[in-house]
Amino acid sequence: MPSLKIKMLALAALLAASPVGAQRAAAFCLFGGCDVTEAQAKAVFDNLLKKRFDKPGKVEEFRTRMTERLEMHATGEKGFEYFFNATVVFPEGANLECKPDDANKYPEGCSASKNYVTAPRDVDPKGKQYVAPGQKVVFDEEFRFYEAGKSWKGPDGVVYDPQ
């Protein structure tokens, strides 16, 4: 009688050879685990960029630095961290009402911080951030995704299916 390992390898080969893409993705997830893709992380970044800044920005570069699966020991909840750098140019600027005055004072509700983030945490800047027209902004961020069945829920609240 064939061993369990041989049966699993045979099943993996059969599913991998299947012409149906979804079955191949399911097989990959079953045997290797599904990770958040760069395209999914970029989609989250685009969604959060639109929420944080009132004018459109054009992503010139999006580069993955590191990814890591994680499990919260207290709750058993599984997650996935995605670390990246992105460079965005704002042709029209953004949050122009937050431009500092001649004394370099920012209006109430605006932040003077130059640490730009799309998903602020407790230690990140509070309030809107001014971006001058034509300015390039570099984002050095990490997103945490949480397991949602066989999918991942991003920090934008959207559930992303395995690919």
Side-chain angles (χ1 to χ4, degrees):
M1 182 138 209
S3 72
L4 180 59
K5 184 176 180 180
I6 292 173
K7 288 180 185 178
M8 296 289 278
L9 288 173
L11 179 60
L14 177 66
L15 289 173
S18 171
V20 180
Q23 287 178 335
R24 274 187 292 197
F28 174 74
C29 294
L30 179 65
F31 294 103
C34 286
D35 294 339
V36 174
T37 66
E38 185 170 272
Q40 291 169 331
K42 188 175 180 300
V44 170
F45 180 71
D46 289 338
N47 291 341
L48 294 176
L49 197 64
K50 290 173 188 166
K51 289 180 181 178
R52 185 105 169 120
F53 300 95
D54 63 351
K55 303 275 188 197
K58 180 180 180 251
V59 178
E60 290 187 336
E61 180 182 21
F62 187 94
R63 188 172 40 89
T64 302
R65 287 191 339 263
M66 185 177 94
T67 62
E68 182 176 31
R69 284 183 168 264
L70 52 101
E71 183 173 339
M72 281 45 99
H73 296 289
T75 64
E77 188 174 30
K78 292 182 178 19
F80 191 89
E81 285 186 308
Y82 201 98
F83 299 82
F84 66 94
N85 295 105
T87 302
V88 179
V89 65
F90 288 88
E92 302 173 45
N95 302 329
L96 299 178
E97 73 278 9
C98 288
K99 182 178 180 177
D101 62 19
D102 291 337
N104 208 31
K105 290 203 161 230
Y106 287 80
E108 190 165 330
C110 297
S111 173
S113 174
K114 299 299 181 201
N115 177 34
Y116 292 93
V117 294
T118 55
R121 291 175 276 176
D122 292 339
V123 296
D124 291 320
K126 306 289 184 257
K128 294 180 180 182
Q129 293 173 282
Y130 171 71
V131 179
Q135 181 178 344
K136 281 188 182 182
V137 175
V138 176
F139 294 84
D140 179 10
E141 292 197 73
E142 72 179 75
F143 288 157
R144 185 171 283 180
F145 292 78
Y146 291 94
E147 193 174 56
K150 293 182 180 180
S151 303
W152 295 104
K153 185 174 183 179
D156 58 351
V158 176
V159 175
Y160 294 88
D161 290 330
Q163 295 190 4

